[in-house]
Amino acid sequence: MARYLVLLHEDETAWAAASPDERAQAYADHDAFAAACARDGHEIVGGLELQRAATSLLVRRVDGATVVSDGPYAETVEQLGGYYVVSTSDVRGLASLVGTLLSTGTAELRPAVDD
């Protein structure tokens, strides 16, 4: 089985404006996603919801010096909001399940390098 990082990108302003009921539904959708993964043989081995991109620190090397600045990395509407690490032998099936989490936004499934 290969490991995949599932990156969940979405509009942070929509999440900030979401009602308590909308947030509860989103969390229920993630619970259903986890249950469907287990049912279909995809093992979630990690993951987190992330704070807003504005809370991040960016570290760069510029002319041999380390430069630290406040985030976000990119000035875009969609930001990384959370991720899962999933072990699976069926990435297309996993992609179909990930699609059930999206009402807007984009998800990226990227394979991990196996040692």
Side-chain angles (χ1 to χ4, degrees):
M1 297 215 330
R3 288 175 296 160
Y4 288 84
L5 183 60
V6 179
L7 301 166
L8 302 172
H9 301 272
E10 63 182 312
D11 179 353
E12 291 182 328
T13 59
W15 182 246
S19 71
D21 287 343
E22 290 169 324
R23 286 177 180 245
Q25 181 59 57
Y27 288 127
D29 292 346
H30 282 273
D31 290 343
F33 169 74
C37 281
R39 178 196 70 220
D40 293 354
H42 313 290
E43 181 186 3
I44 297 174
V45 296
L48 291 170
E49 178 182 356
L50 302 175
Q51 296 286 338
R52 293 181 58 117
T55 65
S56 64
L57 291 178
L58 305 177
V59 181
R60 293 183 174 96
R61 293 293 286 178
V62 179
D63 297 326
T66 299
V67 177
V68 180
S69 59
D70 293 334
Y73 175 70
E75 295 295 329
T76 62
V77 172
E78 287 189 359
Q79 294 289 342
L80 181 62
Y83 69 93
Y84 288 99
V85 179
V86 181
S87 181
T88 186
S89 57
D90 178 16
V91 69
R92 295 291 178 177
L94 175 61
S96 292
L97 289 178
V98 168
T100 66
L101 288 175
L102 303 175
S103 56
T104 62
T106 304
E108 177 183 357
L109 282 71
R110 186 177 298 185
V113 174
D114 287 327
D115 294 337

